[in-house]
Every structure is written in C-alpha cells, then in structure tokens.
Amino acid sequence: MEQRAVVTAGTGGIGLETALGLAARGFAMTVVGRDARRGAGAVERISEVSTGGEPRFVAADLASLGEVRALAVRLAAEGPLKVLVNNVGAMFAQRQRTVDGIEATFAVNHLSPYLLTELLLDQLRAGGPSRIVNVGSAASTLAKRTFAAVEPPGGYYGFHWYGRAKLANLAYALDLAERLRGSGVSVFAADPGGAATDMTNGTLNSPAIVSPPLRLLWPLVRRRFERSTAGPASEAARSSVAAATDPSLHGLTGLLIGPGAQPVPAFRGATDPKIVSDVLRLSRQLTDRWVGV
C-alpha cells in the first residue's frame, strides 16, 4: 500500500525541498499550494526523484478556513495518511485580514495547520505509525507571549506577529503530542533555521516589520537576517525531512527538531501552561464552525 504524505505550501522553497526529500524516501507525495503553474513545476521536479507513488498537486488557499476544510475532506476521502507536514508560513509587512475576517498572520501560520491537522487525525491514526510535523521559526523567541485575543496589544510589526503565530503553533504541536501519546501518531516541530525563500527575500527587507527599538539597530539586524537566510532551502528542509522520516525518532514524540536535524530545547513559552491553554481556547473558538461543517 502507498505511504501517503502531504506537504502544505509545497510548491517552492523549504516545502518543495521537504517534498523532494520525502519522495526520494518512498512516499507518495501530495503538495498543496495556491498556484497551479507552480504546482505543475513542483510535481515535475518531484517525479524525477520519486521512489514511491505518483506525486500530485492540490490547489488550496490556506488563508481561507473554508478551503482548509475542503482540502481536509478531499484528503480524508483518500484513506490513511502516513505524514502531514504543516509547512505553510507567511509574513506580512502590513496588517491584513483573511476572507474569514481573521488577522492573516495568525490565520495562515497557526489556524490553518491547526484546523487541517485536527480534521485529519483519523486518517493519521489509520496510517500509524505516522507523523505530524509543524514547521516553526526562531522568530518565536521575539514574540509577545500573550494569546488572550487573536491580535496582541500594541502596534503591528510583521516579524513579531509572525513569530507569535509560530509560537502558538509550536505550543499546539507539543500539547497535541501529549494528547496523541500511545496512539501511533508522533508529533514533531521543526525549526528550519534560515534560508533564502520568497518570504525572506521580500518582507524582511523592510524595517517596518520590527518594533521601533529594533529599528534603531536595523543595519545590524538586517545583516544578521541576511547571513541567517543565505543558505539554500534544501539545507533548511533538513529538519522537516528528519522529523518526518528519521528512524531514530521512532516511538518518540513532542520534540523540536533543530536546523542540525537533531532535537533541541523548545522555544521559551511553548510549554507554559497558561500560554498553551490560551492558544487552545483561541484556536477552538476561531475554528469551531469549520469542524462540524
């Protein structure tokens, strides 16, 4: 039977490199993205290295919770799932809202993978032993650790809000690992480190994405960003591929896999009971209408 794997935002950058790594290890790959042209190009590249089933592209705008729901229904109808890599990520220079009226940074980076994962748990259990991988970011270390509401207090700074959404998703992943312990489904988070991708080549060029104190140090901060994002996406994908496939992780769960493809300590706040509780409450509140549709 085919070993099915899904990678969201898998048509370029770290997501595509992750899909290539999984396909070379025998998985039948499904990559999710918005652009059919990029999707076709990704499938062509994956086909060149695939040792499993025929790869394919599925179109979905993961900023829309309705489309996330439709994607989950489609994937669930195809049967057991071995690997789900929630790679989707986006940083915005200005505050935006999704079609659902939710702040876009939180919706794309946390609510989308949260809802997709929750809706596919039965298929992941059926495919066990299986793995869920949530791709995070070290930007979480500069995030406001408050989740009483979708938007934190204070001004909008894209980099910090991105880190906060990724922190929420890490807290969810580690809590989910405990919830699923013993079920045959392992849950990992992956920190890719830095890589030159469409996101880092665009948004990170603007000092407006960081808070005023950091803007004073912008030349230094920008040089640090440039050094940390200079590596290839293939290198940054190592943590995701390891989290999804490394046999040394068999039977383990609830770990953050760092850029060196080895477990590292979780970012501060991700295991704080108050933060976890608030993240879960907020996540359920904002996605409940889509769970029972």
Side-chain angles (χ1 to χ4, degrees):
M1 186 172 65
E2 283 187 347
Q3 303 290 292
R4 296 175 54 232
V6 174
V7 177
T8 63
T11 62
I14 296 171
L16 175 55
E17 294 295 339
T18 300
L20 289 168
L22 297 185
R25 288 163 173 79
F27 288 93
M29 285 307 311
T30 296
V31 292
V32 179
R34 292 179 298 175
D35 189 301
R37 181 184 60 82
R38 284 168 59 97
V43 167
E44 184 176 351
R45 284 194 59 191
I46 295 167
S47 295
E48 295 173 356
V49 302
S50 178
T51 60
E54 193 70 21
R56 67 186 183 122
F57 165 74
V58 175
D61 180 358
L62 299 178
S64 163
L65 296 181
E67 290 204 32
V68 173
R69 167 73 188 186
L71 171 65
V73 170
R74 179 172 178 176
L75 295 174
E78 296 169 359
L81 184 59
K82 198 74 173 176
V83 173
L84 171 63
V85 180
N86 289 306
N87 172 73
V88 66
M91 190 188 302
F92 305 99
Q94 286 85 37
R95 186 194 315 249
Q96 298 184 28
R97 294 193 183 278
T98 67
V99 65
D100 303 303
I102 303 170
E103 192 279 313
T105 309
F106 197 75
V108 173
N109 293 286
H110 173 59
L111 294 180
S112 164
Y114 168 85
L115 179 59
L116 183 62
T117 301
E118 290 292 318
L119 292 174
L120 290 176
L121 287 180
D122 285 346
Q123 286 66 41
L124 286 156
R125 290 189 184 97
S130 58
R131 298 188 188 186
I132 298 166
V133 180
N134 283 4
V135 180
S137 170
S140 297
T141 60
L142 295 176
K144 283 189 176 179
R145 295 188 288 274
T146 173
F147 295 94
V150 173
E151 302 183 18
Y156 178 85
Y157 308 112
F159 182 77
H160 302 292
W161 285 40
Y162 167 77
R164 175 177 174 270
K166 287 295 189 181
L167 177 61
N169 202 238
L170 174 59
Y172 163 63
L174 298 182
D175 181 80
L176 181 64
E178 292 308 311
R179 183 175 19 136
L180 297 179
R181 189 177 290 276
S183 70
V185 183
S186 294
V187 186
F188 300 101
D191 173 17
T197 65
D198 290 343
M199 184 178 75
T200 58
N201 289 337
T203 311
L204 289 181
N205 291 328
S206 171
I209 66 170
V210 296
S211 59
L214 275 182
R215 290 178 201 173
L216 299 174
L217 301 172
W218 183 246
L220 176 63
V221 173
R222 184 169 57 188
R223 284 197 297 273
R224 180 180 177 185
F225 284 158
E226 288 171 349
R227 288 196 300 269
S228 67
T229 61
S234 57
E235 182 70 16
R238 288 181 60 211
S239 59
S240 299
V241 174
T245 65
D246 191 331
S248 71
L249 298 176
H250 181 70
L252 302 179
T253 192
L255 298 175
L256 172 62
I257 308 303
Q262 296 293 325
V264 296
F267 300 132
R268 185 178 176 186
T271 57
D272 181 291
K274 177 67 164 59
I275 289 176
V276 173
S277 175
D278 285 350
V279 165
L280 295 179
R281 176 193 54 77
L282 190 58
S283 303
R284 295 187 190 105
Q285 174 186 321
L286 293 169
T287 62
D288 266 357
R289 62 173 291 201
W290 302 108
V291 172
V293 173

Short mmCIF file of all heavy atoms in Angstrom, two decimals, residues 25-85:
data_model
loop_
_atom_site.label_atom_id
_atom_site.label_comp_id
_atom_site.label_asym_id
_atom_site.label_seq_id
_atom_site.Cartn_x
_atom_site.Cartn_y
_atom_site.Cartn_z
N ARG A 25 12.39 9.13 -0.43
CA ARG A 25 12.37 8.08 0.59
C ARG A 25 11.14 7.18 0.45
O ARG A 25 10.82 6.43 1.37
CB ARG A 25 12.43 8.72 1.98
CG ARG A 25 13.81 9.31 2.30
CD ARG A 25 13.74 10.28 3.46
NE ARG A 25 15.06 10.72 3.89
CZ ARG A 25 15.78 11.65 3.27
NH1 ARG A 25 15.29 12.24 2.17
NH2 ARG A 25 16.97 12.02 3.73
N GLY A 26 10.44 7.27 -0.66
CA GLY A 26 9.40 6.31 -0.96
C GLY A 26 7.98 6.75 -0.71
O GLY A 26 7.05 5.95 -0.86
N PHE A 27 7.77 8.00 -0.33
CA PHE A 27 6.40 8.46 -0.06
C PHE A 27 5.71 8.91 -1.34
O PHE A 27 6.34 9.51 -2.23
CB PHE A 27 6.42 9.62 0.94
CG PHE A 27 6.76 9.20 2.34
CD1 PHE A 27 8.07 9.24 2.78
CD2 PHE A 27 5.78 8.76 3.20
CE1 PHE A 27 8.41 8.83 4.06
CE2 PHE A 27 6.10 8.35 4.49
CZ PHE A 27 7.41 8.39 4.92
N ALA A 28 4.43 8.65 -1.41
CA ALA A 28 3.59 9.17 -2.48
C ALA A 28 3.18 10.58 -2.08
O ALA A 28 2.38 10.77 -1.17
CB ALA A 28 2.37 8.29 -2.68
N MET A 29 3.72 11.58 -2.77
CA MET A 29 3.62 12.95 -2.31
C MET A 29 2.39 13.69 -2.86
O MET A 29 2.09 13.61 -4.05
CB MET A 29 4.86 13.75 -2.73
CG MET A 29 6.11 13.45 -1.94
SD MET A 29 5.86 13.62 -0.15
CE MET A 29 5.05 15.22 -0.06
N THR A 30 1.75 14.43 -1.95
CA THR A 30 0.77 15.44 -2.34
C THR A 30 1.29 16.78 -1.84
O THR A 30 1.56 16.93 -0.64
CB THR A 30 -0.60 15.16 -1.72
OG1 THR A 30 -1.12 13.93 -2.22
CG2 THR A 30 -1.58 16.29 -2.05
N VAL A 31 1.46 17.73 -2.75
CA VAL A 31 1.86 19.07 -2.35
C VAL A 31 0.68 20.00 -2.53
O VAL A 31 -0.07 19.91 -3.50
CB VAL A 31 3.08 19.58 -3.14
CG1 VAL A 31 4.33 18.79 -2.77
CG2 VAL A 31 2.85 19.53 -4.64
N VAL A 32 0.51 20.89 -1.57
CA VAL A 32 -0.61 21.82 -1.55
C VAL A 32 -0.09 23.24 -1.78
O VAL A 32 0.93 23.63 -1.21
CB VAL A 32 -1.35 21.75 -0.20
CG1 VAL A 32 -2.52 22.74 -0.17
CG2 VAL A 32 -1.85 20.34 0.06
N GLY A 33 -0.79 23.99 -2.61
CA GLY A 33 -0.41 25.38 -2.85
C GLY A 33 -1.53 26.12 -3.55
O GLY A 33 -2.59 25.55 -3.86
N ARG A 34 -1.28 27.39 -3.84
CA ARG A 34 -2.31 28.21 -4.48
C ARG A 34 -2.18 28.27 -5.99
O ARG A 34 -3.16 28.46 -6.69
CB ARG A 34 -2.26 29.64 -3.92
CG ARG A 34 -2.68 29.76 -2.47
CD ARG A 34 -2.58 31.20 -2.00
NE ARG A 34 -1.21 31.70 -2.08
CZ ARG A 34 -0.85 32.95 -1.83
NH1 ARG A 34 -1.78 33.84 -1.48
NH2 ARG A 34 0.41 33.32 -1.90
N ASP A 35 -0.96 28.16 -6.50
CA ASP A 35 -0.67 28.44 -7.90
C ASP A 35 -0.52 27.14 -8.69
O ASP A 35 0.40 26.36 -8.44
CB ASP A 35 0.62 29.27 -7.99
CG ASP A 35 0.89 29.79 -9.39
OD1 ASP A 35 1.01 28.96 -10.30
OD2 ASP A 35 1.01 31.02 -9.54
N ALA A 36 -1.40 26.92 -9.66
CA ALA A 36 -1.38 25.69 -10.44
C ALA A 36 -0.10 25.56 -11.27
O ALA A 36 0.41 24.45 -11.47
CB ALA A 36 -2.60 25.62 -11.34
N ARG A 37 0.40 26.68 -11.78
CA ARG A 37 1.63 26.63 -12.58
C ARG A 37 2.80 26.18 -11.73
O ARG A 37 3.59 25.31 -12.12
CB ARG A 37 1.91 28.00 -13.19
CG ARG A 37 3.17 28.04 -14.07
CD ARG A 37 3.44 29.45 -14.56
NE ARG A 37 3.65 30.36 -13.43
CZ ARG A 37 4.81 30.49 -12.78
NH1 ARG A 37 5.85 29.73 -13.12
NH2 ARG A 37 4.92 31.35 -11.80
N ARG A 38 2.94 26.78 -10.53
CA ARG A 38 4.00 26.36 -9.62
C ARG A 38 3.78 24.91 -9.19
O ARG A 38 4.74 24.15 -9.01
CB ARG A 38 4.04 27.28 -8.40
CG ARG A 38 4.68 28.63 -8.67
CD ARG A 38 4.42 29.59 -7.51
NE ARG A 38 4.95 29.10 -6.26
CZ ARG A 38 6.14 29.45 -5.75
NH1 ARG A 38 6.92 30.27 -6.43
NH2 ARG A 38 6.53 28.98 -4.59
N GLY A 39 2.52 24.54 -9.02
CA GLY A 39 2.21 23.17 -8.64
C GLY A 39 2.66 22.17 -9.69
O GLY A 39 3.23 21.11 -9.36
N ALA A 40 2.42 22.49 -10.95
CA ALA A 40 2.84 21.60 -12.03
C ALA A 40 4.35 21.48 -12.07
O ALA A 40 4.91 20.38 -12.28
CB ALA A 40 2.31 22.13 -13.36
N GLY A 41 5.05 22.59 -11.85
CA GLY A 41 6.51 22.55 -11.83
C GLY A 41 7.03 21.72 -10.68
O GLY A 41 8.02 20.99 -10.82
N ALA A 42 6.37 21.84 -9.52
CA ALA A 42 6.78 21.06 -8.36
C ALA A 42 6.60 19.56 -8.60
O ALA A 42 7.47 18.75 -8.29
CB ALA A 42 5.99 21.49 -7.12
N VAL A 43 5.46 19.19 -9.17
CA VAL A 43 5.19 17.78 -9.46
C VAL A 43 6.22 17.23 -10.43
O VAL A 43 6.69 16.09 -10.27
CB VAL A 43 3.76 17.61 -10.01
CG1 VAL A 43 3.56 16.22 -10.61
CG2 VAL A 43 2.74 17.85 -8.91
N GLU A 44 6.59 18.02 -11.41
CA GLU A 44 7.60 17.57 -12.38
C GLU A 44 8.93 17.30 -11.68
O GLU A 44 9.57 16.27 -11.94
CB GLU A 44 7.78 18.63 -13.46
CG GLU A 44 8.74 18.23 -14.56
CD GLU A 44 8.83 19.26 -15.67
OE1 GLU A 44 8.03 20.21 -15.68
OE2 GLU A 44 9.73 19.11 -16.53
N ARG A 45 9.34 18.20 -10.80
CA ARG A 45 10.60 18.00 -10.09
C ARG A 45 10.52 16.80 -9.16
O ARG A 45 11.46 16.00 -9.06
CB ARG A 45 10.96 19.26 -9.29
CG ARG A 45 11.50 20.39 -10.13
CD ARG A 45 12.14 21.44 -9.28
NE ARG A 45 13.24 20.90 -8.48
CZ ARG A 45 13.83 21.56 -7.50
NH1 ARG A 45 13.42 22.78 -7.17
NH2 ARG A 45 14.83 21.00 -6.81
N ILE A 46 9.41 16.66 -8.44
CA ILE A 46 9.27 15.55 -7.50
C ILE A 46 9.27 14.22 -8.24
O ILE A 46 9.85 13.22 -7.77
CB ILE A 46 7.98 15.72 -6.67
CG1 ILE A 46 8.08 16.97 -5.78
CG2 ILE A 46 7.73 14.49 -5.80
CD1 ILE A 46 6.77 17.39 -5.16
N SER A 47 8.66 14.19 -9.43
CA SER A 47 8.62 12.95 -10.22
C SER A 47 10.01 12.44 -10.56
O SER A 47 10.23 11.23 -10.68
CB SER A 47 7.83 13.19 -11.51
OG SER A 47 6.48 13.48 -11.24
N GLU A 48 10.97 13.36 -10.70
CA GLU A 48 12.32 12.98 -11.07
C GLU A 48 13.05 12.20 -9.98
O GLU A 48 13.99 11.46 -10.27
CB GLU A 48 13.13 14.23 -11.44
CG GLU A 48 12.61 14.96 -12.68
CD GLU A 48 13.30 16.28 -12.91
OE1 GLU A 48 14.14 16.68 -12.05
OE2 GLU A 48 13.02 16.94 -13.93
N VAL A 49 12.62 12.38 -8.72
CA VAL A 49 13.31 11.72 -7.62
C VAL A 49 12.44 10.70 -6.90
O VAL A 49 12.92 9.97 -6.03
CB VAL A 49 13.84 12.76 -6.59
CG1 VAL A 49 14.77 13.75 -7.24
CG2 VAL A 49 12.68 13.48 -5.90
N SER A 50 11.17 10.65 -7.25
CA SER A 50 10.22 9.82 -6.51
C SER A 50 10.53 8.34 -6.63
O SER A 50 10.80 7.82 -7.71
CB SER A 50 8.80 10.09 -7.00
OG SER A 50 7.88 9.27 -6.31
N THR A 51 10.48 7.66 -5.49
CA THR A 51 10.61 6.19 -5.47
C THR A 51 9.33 5.55 -4.94
O THR A 51 9.29 4.36 -4.67
CB THR A 51 11.80 5.76 -4.59
OG1 THR A 51 11.59 6.23 -3.25
CG2 THR A 51 13.11 6.33 -5.13
N GLY A 52 8.29 6.39 -4.76
CA GLY A 52 7.01 5.89 -4.28
C GLY A 52 5.94 6.10 -5.34
O GLY A 52 6.19 5.98 -6.53
N GLY A 53 4.74 6.44 -4.91
CA GLY A 53 3.64 6.66 -5.83
C GLY A 53 3.79 7.95 -6.61
O GLY A 53 4.67 8.77 -6.35
N GLU A 54 2.89 8.15 -7.56
CA GLU A 54 2.92 9.33 -8.43
C GLU A 54 2.61 10.59 -7.61
O GLU A 54 1.60 10.65 -6.91
CB GLU A 54 1.88 9.17 -9.54
CG GLU A 54 2.02 10.16 -10.67
CD GLU A 54 3.25 9.90 -11.52
OE1 GLU A 54 3.75 8.75 -11.50
OE2 GLU A 54 3.69 10.84 -12.19
N PRO A 55 3.47 11.61 -7.67
CA PRO A 55 3.19 12.84 -6.93
C PRO A 55 2.07 13.63 -7.59
O PRO A 55 1.78 13.47 -8.77
CB PRO A 55 4.52 13.60 -7.02
CG PRO A 55 5.14 13.12 -8.28
CD PRO A 55 4.74 11.68 -8.39
N ARG A 56 1.44 14.50 -6.81
CA ARG A 56 0.38 15.33 -7.36
C ARG A 56 0.28 16.63 -6.62
O ARG A 56 0.81 16.79 -5.50
CB ARG A 56 -0.96 14.60 -7.31
CG ARG A 56 -1.45 14.38 -5.90
CD ARG A 56 -2.70 13.54 -5.86
NE ARG A 56 -3.17 13.42 -4.48
CZ ARG A 56 -4.38 13.79 -4.06
NH1 ARG A 56 -5.26 14.31 -4.91
NH2 ARG A 56 -4.73 13.66 -2.81
N PHE A 57 -0.42 17.57 -7.23
CA PHE A 57 -0.64 18.90 -6.67
C PHE A 57 -2.12 19.08 -6.38
O PHE A 57 -2.97 18.68 -7.19
CB PHE A 57 -0.17 19.97 -7.66
CG PHE A 57 -0.66 21.36 -7.34
CD1 PHE A 57 -0.11 22.07 -6.29
CD2 PHE A 57 -1.67 21.94 -8.10
CE1 PHE A 57 -0.56 23.35 -5.99
CE2 PHE A 57 -2.12 23.22 -7.81
CZ PHE A 57 -1.56 23.93 -6.75
N VAL A 58 -2.44 19.66 -5.23
CA VAL A 58 -3.81 20.02 -4.89
C VAL A 58 -3.85 21.51 -4.58
O VAL A 58 -3.07 22.00 -3.75
CB VAL A 58 -4.33 19.21 -3.68
CG1 VAL A 58 -5.71 19.69 -3.28
CG2 VAL A 58 -4.34 17.73 -4.00
N ALA A 59 -4.75 22.22 -5.24
CA ALA A 59 -4.85 23.67 -5.05
C ALA A 59 -5.72 24.00 -3.85
O ALA A 59 -6.81 23.44 -3.68
CB ALA A 59 -5.43 24.32 -6.30
N ALA A 60 -5.22 24.90 -3.00
CA ALA A 60 -5.99 25.39 -1.86
C ALA A 60 -5.36 26.67 -1.35
O ALA A 60 -4.13 26.78 -1.28
CB ALA A 60 -6.05 24.36 -0.73
N ASP A 61 -6.19 27.65 -1.03
CA ASP A 61 -5.73 28.88 -0.39
C ASP A 61 -5.86 28.68 1.11
O ASP A 61 -6.96 28.73 1.66
CB ASP A 61 -6.56 30.07 -0.85
CG ASP A 61 -6.10 31.38 -0.22
OD1 ASP A 61 -5.15 31.35 0.60
OD2 ASP A 61 -6.69 32.42 -0.53
N LEU A 62 -4.74 28.46 1.78
CA LEU A 62 -4.78 28.12 3.20
C LEU A 62 -5.03 29.31 4.10
O LEU A 62 -5.07 29.17 5.32
CB LEU A 62 -3.49 27.40 3.58
CG LEU A 62 -3.26 26.08 2.83
CD1 LEU A 62 -1.94 25.45 3.24
CD2 LEU A 62 -4.41 25.12 3.05
N ALA A 63 -5.23 30.49 3.51
CA ALA A 63 -5.67 31.64 4.30
C ALA A 63 -7.17 31.58 4.56
O ALA A 63 -7.69 32.29 5.42
CB ALA A 63 -5.32 32.95 3.58
N SER A 64 -7.87 30.72 3.83
CA SER A 64 -9.31 30.55 3.98
C SER A 64 -9.60 29.28 4.75
O SER A 64 -9.24 28.18 4.31
CB SER A 64 -9.99 30.49 2.60
OG SER A 64 -11.29 29.95 2.69
N LEU A 65 -10.26 29.40 5.90
CA LEU A 65 -10.56 28.21 6.68
C LEU A 65 -11.57 27.31 5.96
O LEU A 65 -11.56 26.09 6.15
CB LEU A 65 -11.07 28.61 8.06
CG LEU A 65 -10.05 29.34 8.95
CD1 LEU A 65 -10.65 29.66 10.31
CD2 LEU A 65 -8.77 28.52 9.11
N GLY A 66 -12.41 27.89 5.13
CA GLY A 66 -13.32 27.09 4.33
C GLY A 66 -12.56 26.21 3.35
O GLY A 66 -12.90 25.04 3.14
N GLU A 67 -11.50 26.76 2.73
CA GLU A 67 -10.69 25.97 1.81
C GLU A 67 -9.85 24.93 2.56
O GLU A 67 -9.59 23.85 2.04
CB GLU A 67 -9.81 26.88 0.95
CG GLU A 67 -10.62 27.70 -0.05
CD GLU A 67 -9.80 28.15 -1.25
OE1 GLU A 67 -8.88 27.43 -1.65
OE2 GLU A 67 -10.11 29.24 -1.77
N VAL A 68 -9.43 25.26 3.76
CA VAL A 68 -8.72 24.26 4.57
C VAL A 68 -9.65 23.09 4.86
O VAL A 68 -9.25 21.92 4.75
CB VAL A 68 -8.21 24.88 5.89
CG1 VAL A 68 -7.64 23.80 6.81
CG2 VAL A 68 -7.16 25.95 5.61
N ARG A 69 -10.89 23.40 5.22
CA ARG A 69 -11.88 22.35 5.47
C ARG A 69 -12.10 21.49 4.22
O ARG A 69 -12.10 20.25 4.29
CB ARG A 69 -13.20 22.99 5.90
CG ARG A 69 -14.41 22.07 5.90
CD ARG A 69 -14.39 21.08 7.02
NE ARG A 69 -15.45 20.09 6.87
CZ ARG A 69 -15.75 19.17 7.76
NH1 ARG A 69 -15.07 19.11 8.88
NH2 ARG A 69 -16.70 18.31 7.55
N ALA A 70 -12.26 22.12 3.07
CA ALA A 70 -12.47 21.38 1.82
C ALA A 70 -11.26 20.52 1.48
O ALA A 70 -11.41 19.38 1.00
CB ALA A 70 -12.77 22.36 0.69
N LEU A 71 -10.07 21.04 1.72
CA LEU A 71 -8.85 20.26 1.48
C LEU A 71 -8.83 19.03 2.38
O LEU A 71 -8.51 17.92 1.92
CB LEU A 71 -7.63 21.14 1.76
CG LEU A 71 -6.27 20.43 1.77
CD1 LEU A 71 -5.94 19.89 0.38
CD2 LEU A 71 -5.18 21.39 2.26
N ALA A 72 -9.17 19.21 3.64
CA ALA A 72 -9.16 18.08 4.58
C ALA A 72 -10.16 17.01 4.16
O ALA A 72 -9.86 15.81 4.23
CB ALA A 72 -9.47 18.58 5.99
N VAL A 73 -11.33 17.43 3.72
CA VAL A 73 -12.34 16.46 3.26
C VAL A 73 -11.81 15.66 2.08
O VAL A 73 -11.96 14.43 2.01
CB VAL A 73 -13.65 17.19 2.90
CG1 VAL A 73 -14.61 16.24 2.19
CG2 VAL A 73 -14.30 17.77 4.15
N ARG A 74 -11.15 16.35 1.15
CA ARG A 74 -10.61 15.68 -0.03
C ARG A 74 -9.51 14.69 0.35
O ARG A 74 -9.49 13.55 -0.11
CB ARG A 74 -10.07 16.72 -1.00
CG ARG A 74 -9.45 16.13 -2.26
CD ARG A 74 -9.11 17.20 -3.26
NE ARG A 74 -8.49 16.65 -4.46
CZ ARG A 74 -8.16 17.36 -5.52
NH1 ARG A 74 -8.40 18.66 -5.55
NH2 ARG A 74 -7.58 16.77 -6.56
N LEU A 75 -8.60 15.13 1.21
CA LEU A 75 -7.51 14.25 1.62
C LEU A 75 -8.01 13.07 2.46
O LEU A 75 -7.51 11.95 2.33
CB LEU A 75 -6.47 15.05 2.41
CG LEU A 75 -5.72 16.14 1.64
CD1 LEU A 75 -4.83 16.94 2.59
CD2 LEU A 75 -4.91 15.56 0.49
N ALA A 76 -8.99 13.32 3.31
CA ALA A 76 -9.52 12.27 4.17
C ALA A 76 -10.18 11.17 3.35
O ALA A 76 -10.11 9.98 3.70
CB ALA A 76 -10.52 12.86 5.16
N ALA A 77 -10.81 11.54 2.24
CA ALA A 77 -11.51 10.56 1.41
C ALA A 77 -10.54 9.59 0.74
O ALA A 77 -10.97 8.52 0.26
CB ALA A 77 -12.34 11.27 0.35
N GLU A 78 -9.26 9.92 0.74
CA GLU A 78 -8.27 9.08 0.07
C GLU A 78 -7.67 8.02 0.99
O GLU A 78 -6.84 7.22 0.56
CB GLU A 78 -7.18 9.97 -0.52
CG GLU A 78 -7.73 10.88 -1.62
CD GLU A 78 -6.75 11.95 -2.04
OE1 GLU A 78 -5.63 12.00 -1.47
OE2 GLU A 78 -7.08 12.74 -2.93
N GLY A 79 -8.06 8.02 2.26
CA GLY A 79 -7.64 6.95 3.15
C GLY A 79 -6.51 7.31 4.08
O GLY A 79 -6.23 8.49 4.32
N PRO A 80 -5.82 6.31 4.63
CA PRO A 80 -4.80 6.53 5.66
C PRO A 80 -3.68 7.46 5.19
O PRO A 80 -3.32 7.48 4.01
CB PRO A 80 -4.26 5.11 5.91
CG PRO A 80 -5.38 4.21 5.52
CD PRO A 80 -6.04 4.87 4.36
N LEU A 81 -3.15 8.21 6.14
CA LEU A 81 -2.09 9.18 5.86
C LEU A 81 -0.91 8.89 6.77
O LEU A 81 -1.07 8.70 7.97
CB LEU A 81 -2.62 10.59 6.11
CG LEU A 81 -1.71 11.78 5.80
CD1 LEU A 81 -1.31 11.78 4.33
CD2 LEU A 81 -2.43 13.08 6.16
N LYS A 82 0.28 8.85 6.19
CA LYS A 82 1.48 8.50 6.93
C LYS A 82 2.19 9.72 7.49
O LYS A 82 2.71 9.70 8.61
CB LYS A 82 2.44 7.74 6.01
CG LYS A 82 3.51 6.95 6.73
CD LYS A 82 2.95 5.71 7.38
CE LYS A 82 4.05 4.83 7.97
NZ LYS A 82 3.48 3.67 8.67
N VAL A 83 2.24 10.80 6.72
CA VAL A 83 2.97 12.00 7.14
C VAL A 83 2.18 13.24 6.72
O VAL A 83 1.73 13.34 5.58
CB VAL A 83 4.38 12.07 6.51
CG1 VAL A 83 5.05 13.42 6.81
CG2 VAL A 83 5.25 10.94 7.01
N LEU A 84 2.04 14.18 7.65
CA LEU A 84 1.49 15.50 7.37
C LEU A 84 2.52 16.53 7.80
O LEU A 84 2.86 16.61 8.98
CB LEU A 84 0.17 15.73 8.12
CG LEU A 84 -0.39 17.15 8.06
CD1 LEU A 84 -0.75 17.54 6.62
CD2 LEU A 84 -1.61 17.28 8.98
N VAL A 85 3.03 17.30 6.84
CA VAL A 85 3.98 18.37 7.14
C VAL A 85 3.27 19.70 6.94
O VAL A 85 2.96 20.09 5.81
CB VAL A 85 5.23 18.30 6.26
CG1 VAL A 85 6.20 19.44 6.64
CG2 VAL A 85 5.93 16.96 6.42
#
